[in-house]
Amino acid sequence: MNRHLSWFGITSLTLGLAFMYLPILVLVIYSFNDSEMITLWSHPSLRWYEKLFTDGNYWGPAWTTLRISLVSSVLATILGVMISLVVTRMRKFKGRSLFVGMTIAPLVLPEVITGLALLLLFIAMGVERGFMTVIIAHTTFAMCFVSVIVTARMAEFDMSTEEAARDLGCGPVMAFFHATLPAILPAIVAAFLLAFALSLDNLVVTTFTTGPGITTLPMRVFSEIRTGVKPEINALSTMVILLVTCVAITSSLLTKRSAAKRVAAADSPPATSQLASA
């Protein structure tokens, strides 16, 4: 079997990467443009970054978005892990197929339907829309993504490891934290980052479930571009790209370091054999 890429494969890969990343590269370049016209290059400048830092119209929504993303992603990760544990360990309970279908349904439903359904639910329950309703909506939307990622990892997990921990005296909770959690931690971290990213740029669901006085950064940017794209938005987008890139790289490095430590610990001889050889 020929494993080398053909010219068609290389061309398709190049066009695909260019389609995804070329607009982002153009945005980053034009964020350093001194001109007030976003499509007309003048000369390099940090003018719009300085204006962004002195303009307080974006920092309030940015702080609100960051708080919502952190809280909702933590809750979505916890609930998603619980769902994956139920799906992978309780394989024969009544209604399992319906339960699995309900956890996957938000993945295929349009965000407009999800946002409208949550809005009608909050109105029917008499819940005042605000900070907490947005967190509930983002958690509901993101936990299905977490459950799918963690379930895929749990399906490959060897349960004999946890059973061995139980035989050595650990209870169910301690066996999970000492045996299962380290093995599925990379999947949990990846799921958390995905939930955080989904919450960070969510606009549709947030628009349906937010209330007076609660404005997120995507809502603020969307309201700004309806009257024309401002150069400050290019600078703001570049900072968000830089933040997400740093978080992703840091998480990848920490995950690889943790995996390397586990491999080294598994390859090292046990202490009893070292004493015997001595």
Side-chain angles (χ1 to χ4, degrees):
M1 181 179 179
N2 187 11
R3 297 181 180 273
H4 296 287
L5 288 175
S6 62
W7 66 268
F8 177 77
I10 295 175
T11 304
S12 301
L13 179 61
T14 304
L15 292 177
L17 293 176
F19 180 79
M20 289 189 296
Y21 293 106
L22 188 58
I24 298 177
L25 180 61
V26 172
L27 183 146
V28 173
I29 293 175
Y30 272 87
S31 68
F32 297 97
N33 183 22
D34 185 71
S35 174
E36 296 186 359
M37 302 293 294
I38 62 170
T39 58
L40 180 63
W41 179 262
S42 176
H43 60 271
S45 174
L46 297 176
R47 171 186 177 185
W48 305 115
Y49 287 92
E50 296 174 358
K51 186 175 181 179
L52 180 65
F53 278 101
T54 56
D55 188 0
N57 293 329
Y58 295 101
W59 295 113
W63 175 239
T64 301
T65 302
L66 185 61
R67 288 187 297 159
I68 291 174
S69 300
L70 286 175
V71 176
S72 63
S73 57
V74 170
L75 294 176
T77 302
I78 295 174
L79 294 175
V81 171
M82 295 173 64
I83 291 173
S84 65
L85 290 176
V86 172
V87 171
T88 55
R89 297 188 177 187
M90 302 175 63
R91 298 180 179 274
K92 295 184 179 180
F93 66 91
K94 189 175 181 180
R96 182 181 182 276
S97 299
L98 178 62
F99 178 77
V100 174
M102 291 176 64
T103 58
I104 299 177
L107 289 171
V108 296
L109 285 177
E111 293 186 20
V112 175
I113 302 300
T114 303
L116 180 60
L118 290 169
L119 172 62
L120 296 176
L121 175 64
F122 293 143
I123 294 177
M125 297 179 62
V127 178
E128 184 179 356
R129 285 174 291 160
F131 185 79
M132 291 305 301
T133 55
V134 177
I135 289 179
I136 293 172
H138 284 205
T139 303
T140 305
F141 176 74
M143 68 179 184
C144 58
F145 292 88
V146 177
S147 66
V148 169
I149 295 174
V150 180
T151 300
R153 180 65 185 91
M154 285 291 298
E156 302 175 356
F157 177 69
D158 187 3
M159 289 298 299
S160 61
T161 306
E162 187 170 331
E163 293 172 357
R166 296 287 300 274
D167 292 337
L168 293 174
C170 291
V173 177
M174 296 303 297
F176 171 78
F177 280 102
H178 286 289
T180 307
L181 185 60
I184 65 173
L185 187 59
I188 294 177
V189 173
F192 171 81
L193 293 177
L194 177 60
F196 181 82
L198 291 173
S199 176
L200 193 67
D201 69 344
N202 192 287
L203 175 64
V204 178
V205 175
T206 307
T207 304
F208 278 99
T209 57
T210 190
I214 302 297
T215 303
T216 61
L217 189 59
M219 295 176 61
R220 178 69 185 183
V221 172
F222 182 72
S223 64
E224 290 282 349
I225 65 175
R226 295 174 71 177
T227 58
V229 180
K230 296 182 178 179
E232 304 98 288
I233 297 179
N234 291 341
L236 178 64
S237 302
T238 302
M239 294 181 62
V240 173
I241 293 171
L242 180 62
L243 174 62
V244 173
T245 303
C246 291
V247 172
I249 292 175
T250 303
S251 173
S252 177
L253 292 176
L254 291 176
T255 302
K256 290 182 178 180
R257 183 178 179 183
S258 177
K261 287 183 177 180
R262 289 198 302 268
V263 172
D267 293 339
S268 62
T272 54
S273 61
Q274 293 179 359
L275 291 175
S277 61

